[in-house]
């Protein structure tokens, strides 16, 4: 491509050189003296200069007026008529000057207690539970009455299953991609040793199907499908080839999957905390702002309160509330303003505030399997038959467990700082889950604070939202934007 262009440029001068470049007068026949006189030459030159000056003036005009248009567009976006998607390009210079620095509470050391003022006339104690992740506990954050109101409002609204039994759309996706067994095998073979270990298959089925298989389940499936011919607990490519693409899923469907075999076994709902919401919900939001010391606008624009109920036997296996952020990763909440499409998306939950709405009779602790571990190694989380992510079996092996106490709040940072007052990388140590409830019911609520690690995207999003009319019905075009946004922002990982 580049080579061809260079070739074309090279040939241009030689072609020009072959043209008959003679002075115009020579080509003219007839009375030479009148046409080629000195005054004629002066007139031609004057016209020529005027022409050049006109061209320069025109260029100045075009340049100046397009600059104005650009400035005008960024002032009255997003409502201003037709908008080119690339209207703000090129983004070589930052468009928004960063004038905020995110406060981050200091943990000092595990067990350190600091006094915090969250409600008038009352002082709360905040205890550091771990430094990796930065995790705190505040007893009595909510009053008994507030806990009761939140549970009642959730019940009034109605709770839905947190996870459906079979995740749809996966089969179509696989067909669309049209991957060969070799390609799938390579994708699953994380350590690229030509064998599929138990944990490689387990991780896959949990992410793909939302089904939580144990090592024993997997051996049972291998036996049922006669997959592991040499019986060494590993699948090589030949063994894998004998299985059809959805063999696992079909086997599980025939055999039936119980709710206890899902990644998550609970029900939940969402409660809005903005203007017009129940006073208790607005108060909780204000208290979260005081607790986290973050700009109120960031908390206001975050997801609503998620209320979760676990019945006896309920659990939530260990997970991250928000995923890692790569350069191509979009945040769910700012996607609207990002005007790009990317294959990766995460909810960018900078902070999780988890409220215990009741004291649980048995089990139901929140476990942090690798809190304050010296190192983090994903592979060693599932070793042989011990799976540290499994909160039905192995909560006792977690580094840290928080017992649910009515009114207590715990909060932690899912991301590190970037060292310059903004969101940095994901904190892998923030892995956590809800242990199985052995007696009674467990009620919790989550307040997530969404911040885009890309400051420009967050700023653009906030500017866009601040320009939306309060009443969506005022403007059809703009209410469309909010319609797109609201269902997605409540999605779980
Ligand atoms: C969650 C969660 C923990 C718990 O809802 O994301 O991690 O103890 N809950 O219920
Ligand atoms: Ca392998
Ligand atoms: Fe969680």
């Amino acid at each position: 491509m580049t080579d061809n262009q260079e070739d074309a440029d090279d040939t241009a001068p030689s072609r020009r050189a072959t043209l008959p470049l003679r002075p115009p007068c020579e080509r003219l026949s007839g009375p030479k003296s009148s046409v080629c006189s000195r005054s004629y030459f002066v007139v031609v030159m004057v016209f020529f200069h005027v022409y050049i000056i006109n061209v320069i003036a025109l260029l100045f005009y075009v340049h100046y007026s397009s600059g104005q248009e650009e400035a005008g567009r960024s002032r009255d976006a997003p409502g201003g008529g037709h908008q080119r998607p690339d209207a703000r390009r090129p983004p070589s210079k930052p468009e928004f000057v960063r004038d905020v620095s995110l406060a981050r509470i200091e943990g000092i050391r595990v067990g350190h207690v600091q006094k915090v003022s969250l409600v008038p006339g009352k002082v709360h104690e905040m205890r550091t539970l771990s430094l990796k992740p930065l995790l705190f506990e505040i007893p009595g954050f909510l009053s008994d009455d507030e806990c009761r109101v939140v549970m009642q409002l959730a019940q009034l609204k109605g709770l839905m299953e947190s996870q459906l039994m079979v995740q749809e759309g996966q089969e179509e996706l696989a067909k669309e991609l049209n991957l060969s067994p070799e390609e799938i095998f390579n994708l699953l073979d994380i350590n690229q040793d030509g064998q599929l270990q138990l944990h490689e298959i387990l991780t896959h089925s949990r992410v793909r199907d939302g089904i939580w298989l144990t090592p024993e389940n997997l051996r049972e499936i291998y036996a049922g499908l006669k997959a592991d011919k040499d019986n060494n607990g590993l699948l090589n490519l030949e063994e894998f080839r004998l299985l059809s693409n959805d063999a696992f899923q079909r086997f599980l469907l025939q055999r039936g999957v119980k709710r206890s075999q899902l990644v998550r076994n609970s029900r939940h709902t969402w409660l809005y905390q903005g203007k017009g919401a129940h006073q208790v919900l607005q108060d909780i939001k204000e208290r979260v702002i005081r607790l986290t010391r973050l700009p109120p606008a960031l908390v206001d624009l975050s997801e609503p309160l998620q209320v979760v109920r676990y019945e006896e036997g309920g659990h939530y296996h260990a997970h991250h509330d928000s995923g890692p952020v790569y350069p191509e990763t979009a945040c769910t909440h700012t996607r609207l303003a990002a005007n790009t499409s990317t294959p990766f998306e995460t909810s960018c939950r900078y902070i999780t505030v988890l409220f215990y709405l009741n004291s649980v009779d048995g089990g139901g602790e929140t476990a942090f399997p690798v809190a304050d571990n010296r190192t983090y190694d994903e592979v060693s989380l599932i070793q042989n038959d011990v799976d540290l992510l499994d909160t039905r079996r192995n909560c006792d092996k977690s580094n840290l467990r928080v017992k649910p106490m009515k009114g207590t709040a715990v909060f932690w940072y899912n991301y590190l700082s970037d060292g310059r007052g903004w969101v940095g990388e994901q904190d892998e140590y923030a892995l956590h889950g809800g242990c199985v409830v052995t007696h009674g019911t467990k009620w919790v609520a989550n307040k997530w604070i969404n911040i885009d690690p890309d400051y420009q995207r967050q700023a653009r999003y906030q500017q866009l939202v601040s320009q939306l009319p309060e009443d969506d019905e005022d403007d059809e075009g703009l209410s469309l934007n909010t319609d797109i946004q609201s269902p997605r922002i409540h999605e779980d990982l």
Side-chain angles (χ1 to χ4, degrees), residues 264 306 308 310 316 319 321 349 352 354 356 364-367 412 432-435 442 444 446 448:
R264 187 176 185 188
Q306 188 195 52
V308 187
Y310 300 87
Y316 192 171
H319 61 278
D321 283 350
R349 293 163 171 166
T352 299
L354 176 71
Y356 297 109
E365 302 92 337
T366 307
W412 66 89
H432 64 279
C435 306
K442 171 184 170 187
V444 296
N446 285 299
W448 284 299

Side-chain angles (χ1 to χ4, degrees), residues 363-415:
E365 302 92 337
T366 307
F368 293 81
V370 293
D372 279 335
N373 239 31
R374 215 149 44 84
T375 55
Y376 177 85
D377 173 21
E378 199 181 331
V379 172
S380 65
L381 289 171
I382 310 177
Q383 261 177 355
N384 301 321
D385 281 357
V386 181
D387 177 1
L388 283 178
L389 302 172
D390 191 323
T391 55
R392 295 188 73 85
R393 292 178 160 191
N394 296 322
C395 266
D396 58 333
K397 298 178 190 70
S398 270
N399 285 358
L400 182 72
R401 279 179 307 283
V402 184
K403 193 174 153 54
M405 296 292 287
K406 188 178 191 168
T408 293
V410 285
F411 88 97
W412 66 89
Y413 294 83
N414 293 305
Y415 292 85

Side-chain angles (χ1 to χ4, degrees), residues 244-353:
S244 72
N245 197 6
D246 55 353
F248 280 88
Q249 247 187 342
R250 279 191 287 115
F251 181 89
L252 288 166
L253 284 177
Q254 271 173 16
R255 193 168 147 278
V257 180
K258 292 190 226 95
R259 295 183 44 78
S260 60
Q261 286 175 299
L262 297 177
V263 171
R264 187 176 185 188
N265 178 9
S266 64
R267 300 175 137 254
H268 73 256
T269 192
W270 299 91
L271 298 178
Y272 290 84
Q273 296 182 281
K275 272 193 210 134
H278 193 289
Q279 195 55 45
V280 164
L281 297 172
Q282 296 195 48
D283 291 349
I284 294 173
K285 190 184 68 180
E286 290 307 315
R287 218 170 294 159
V288 166
I289 293 171
R290 287 182 75 98
L291 173 72
T292 58
R293 299 174 202 162
L294 290 174
L298 284 176
V299 182
D300 280 333
L301 291 175
S302 290
E303 290 165 87
L305 188 73
Q306 188 195 52
V307 184
V308 187
R309 189 180 70 206
Y310 300 87
E311 302 301 335
E312 203 162 286
H315 72 273
Y316 192 171
H317 288 304
H319 61 278
H320 286 283
D321 283 350
S322 192
V325 178
Y326 306 109
E328 329 81 77
T329 308
C331 294
T332 309
H333 73 291
T334 55
R335 189 158 206 154
L336 194 70
N339 74 33
T340 50
S341 63
T342 56
F344 305 113
E345 185 177 315
T346 191
S347 46
C348 299
R349 293 163 171 166
Y350 180 55
I351 288 183
T352 299
V353 188

Side-chain angles (χ1 to χ4, degrees), residues 67-82:
Q68 287 243 312
E69 202 182 297
E70 209 72 78
R73 195 179 289 136
S74 49
R75 258 201 311 278
D76 44 46
H82 62 279

